[in-house]
Amino acid sequence: MTNEDSSIAISCRGVERTYGAGRDAFTAVRGVDLDVPAGSITALLGTNGAGKTSTVELIEGLAPAAAGEIRVLGLDPWRDREAVRRRTGVLLQASGFSGDLTVRETMRMQASLTSTARPIDAALDDLALLDKAETRVGQLSGGEQRRLDIACALLGDPAVLFLDEPSNGLDVESRRRVWDLVAALRDRGAAILLTTHYLDEAQRLADRIELMHAGRIERSGSPADIVADLPSTISFATSSLRSAPPLPDLGQLRVVEHRGTATIETHELQGSLGALLAWASSHDVHLDELRAETASLERAFLALTSKDSSSKDRGSSEHPDQTKEHAA
């Protein structure tokens, strides 16, 4: 495969990954096609065991693909791993930095691995760690250690960035700071591949979503594309219905009552909500705990997980010995 479009920083075509051999062989990644353009953020999401870890490790150059082709910045990440590594940043779920080194020493060690390292103090200041520069890593809190992981991943101002659970363990303020830094790096032209359990993080950051299940990419598109065919919901306490006349036709798909809450599913949120409010006003009904929500990425994700039972016929999508999973 030749990468004719230089704007595509990461390109996968027909990628497969197999563990074992012969009768024990197991295919964890099944014909994955994936593009991450420069200047964009792509979130790779899926159920546990979907094959995300296996896919990302191939793109990072940690193992060769059993089939298909991968290009990162026009290079093969397995055969040209050294050249690719100098232009990429990688944030793992746990970095494993020595607890005996200070924050500054850890950053210096990381800076030695790249020829384009930013000033260490500036990188630490971005993550509110400058006042911890002489503190040993082992003395940092969990959230501070996570911010150090991120500072190291961003130190080389990478052209390609792999983010695995970037805001795991962070407080709200630190989480927003990380989101801003990642978005700024994207705006400077970096290609970012994100895996996360936080669906709101994916919906907030990602230009494109790739939903993976049983080793395959099942749905692709912008966050709006992913939820386009899913219903919106209107919910309120069922106590509102106890002495009220029957609900009118609200254009809904269905009404579900569960644990004291009535939920209306509809593709016409504004019209259905307007009709519901008009009905309540005309019958003097107070709608307790009223909420209206557009279709969400969480709903799309839950629709994907409903395939779990059918996927059992095809087998689990991660090898039994490959239990580590980068993201939801």
Side-chain angles (χ1 to χ4, degrees):
M1 177 183 67
T2 60
N3 190 358
E4 297 178 355
D5 186 350
S6 60
S7 70
I8 303 299
I10 299 173
S11 179
C12 300
R13 290 293 178 271
V15 172
E16 296 187 2
R17 185 173 186 180
T18 300
Y19 297 97
R23 295 179 60 185
D24 294 329
F26 176 79
T27 301
V29 180
R30 306 163 181 265
V32 164
D33 293 338
L34 175 68
D35 286 331
V36 182
S40 73
I41 300 174
T42 293
L44 181 62
L45 308 177
T47 53
N48 287 329
K52 302 179 303 301
T53 295
S54 295
T55 301
V56 172
E57 287 180 348
L58 294 178
I59 300 172
E60 291 175 349
L62 301 181
E69 293 182 289
I70 304 173
R71 291 292 182 270
V72 177
L73 301 173
L75 301 173
D76 184 309
W78 172 250
R79 289 195 291 265
D80 305 313
R81 186 179 178 191
E82 184 176 349
V84 172
R85 181 66 185 88
R86 288 197 297 267
R87 300 180 64 190
T88 60
V90 179
L91 174 69
L92 302 176
Q93 286 191 32
S95 63
F97 292 133
S98 171
D100 294 328
L101 296 178
T102 67
V103 168
R104 189 181 300 280
E105 289 168 341
T106 300
M107 293 288 283
R108 284 175 179 164
M109 180 180 66
Q110 191 70 15
S112 69
L113 302 177
T114 177
S115 59
T116 59
R118 301 171 57 222
I120 288 174
D121 282 2
L124 290 176
D125 192 44
D126 281 345
L127 275 303
L129 284 173
L130 190 55
D131 63 339
K132 299 289 184 178
E134 308 308 325
T135 302
R136 296 189 185 278
V137 172
Q139 296 175 330
L140 299 176
S141 68
E144 290 168 342
Q145 289 187 24
R146 191 57 177 163
R147 281 187 276 144
L148 176 60
D149 294 343
I150 295 166
C152 287
L154 301 181
L155 185 60
D157 205 17
V160 172
L161 180 62
F162 299 97
L163 293 177
D164 181 16
E165 299 289 345
S167 61
N168 188 34
L170 297 181
D171 58 33
V172 173
E173 181 181 359
S174 296
R175 193 181 186 207
R176 299 285 178 174
R177 181 188 292 265
V178 168
W179 287 0
D180 290 344
L181 288 171
V182 171
L185 187 62
R186 182 264 316 277
D187 293 344
R188 293 200 299 271
I192 300 169
L193 184 59
L194 164 73
T195 56
T196 178
H197 277 94
Y198 297 115
L199 298 182
D200 63 324
E201 182 168 66
Q203 195 150 11
R204 166 74 177 266
L205 287 176
D207 302 294
R208 187 173 181 84
I209 303 288
E210 304 285 346
L211 283 179
M212 194 169 189
H213 183 74
R216 298 178 173 86
I217 300 293
E218 295 285 354
R219 298 193 68 178
S220 300
S222 68
D225 292 336
I226 295 296
V227 304
D229 60 347
L230 297 173
S232 299
T233 60
I234 304 167
S235 63
F236 52 90
T238 53
S239 58
S240 303
L241 299 177
R242 287 174 186 166
S243 59
L247 285 170
D249 180 6
L250 304 174
Q252 74 268 17
L253 301 175
R254 63 173 182 162
V255 179
V256 178
E257 295 186 27
H258 180 65
R259 294 186 177 180
T261 298
T263 300
I264 298 171
E265 295 183 350
T266 176
H267 284 303
E268 300 292 338
L269 179 59
Q270 184 171 335
S272 296
L273 181 59
L276 176 65
L277 293 174
W279 168 84
S281 178
S282 64
H283 294 287
D284 197 24
V285 174
H286 182 71
L287 297 172
D288 298 312
E289 302 175 33
L290 177 65
R291 296 180 62 185
E293 297 178 324
T294 58
S296 67
L297 190 56
E298 180 179 2
R299 184 176 288 270
F301 186 82
L302 292 174
L304 186 68
T305 62
S306 69
K307 294 187 176 185
D308 281 344
S309 59
S310 62
S311 69
K312 291 179 182 178
D313 294 335
R314 294 182 290 180
S316 171
S317 60
E318 291 281 7
H319 188 275
D321 293 335
Q322 302 294 319
T323 56
K324 181 186 70 173
E325 189 60 52
H326 275 334

